[in-house]
Amino acid sequence: IRNGDNCVKVNKHFCLIRNIVVVEGIDNPVLVVEHFRRVFDFFEYPLNSSELDIVSVSGLSGNLETVDISKIGRKCVCLPYKDRYVILPLSHSSL
């Protein structure tokens, strides 16, 4: 849950992991995440960067939700860029 190591893609949303919860009786840990409200293509030529899961984001939602760890589609890195952040996928797919 440290900055720089807490960014994931869940379904179509890019999120920051805020906490990891282990619930007795449930096999997988549950992640508490907050998603970004605004997601933009970081570049549009020669293709839209979102097709490669490279996006520019801003404005966290302020809402926390729980997600089963098995629902994580991709681990990413979130880097500051101007007045926003750019999210880049990591080359491996596992957490």
Side-chain angles (χ1 to χ4, degrees):
I1 59 173
R2 295 179 307 236
N3 287 339
D5 193 29
N6 65 340
C7 187
V8 293
K9 184 176 182 187
V10 179
N11 298 320
K12 295 183 180 186
H13 298 285
F14 291 92
C15 307
L16 294 182
I17 299 172
R18 295 304 193 190
N19 208 342
I20 301 171
V21 180
V22 177
V23 180
E24 191 173 325
I26 297 179
D27 292 336
N28 291 332
V30 176
L31 303 178
V32 179
V33 300
E34 182 178 8
H35 70 271
F36 288 95
R37 288 184 295 168
R38 293 182 289 281
V39 179
F40 312 92
D41 281 306
F42 186 61
F43 57 83
E44 296 176 346
Y45 182 83
L47 73 157
N48 290 338
S49 64
S50 57
E51 293 182 38
L52 303 172
D53 283 339
I54 300 172
V55 294
S56 177
V57 295
S58 64
L60 286 165
S61 68
N63 299 320
L64 299 177
E65 60 183 78
T66 57
V67 176
D68 187 277
I69 198 167
S70 66
K71 302 293 182 191
I72 300 301
R74 175 165 249 172
K75 181 125 168 56
C76 305
V77 63
C78 184
L79 304 170
Y81 179 77
K82 297 185 180 181
D83 62 339
R84 299 182 179 159
Y85 293 92
V86 63
I87 293 179
L88 304 163
L90 294 178
S91 60
H92 58 76
S93 60
S94 64
L95 293 174

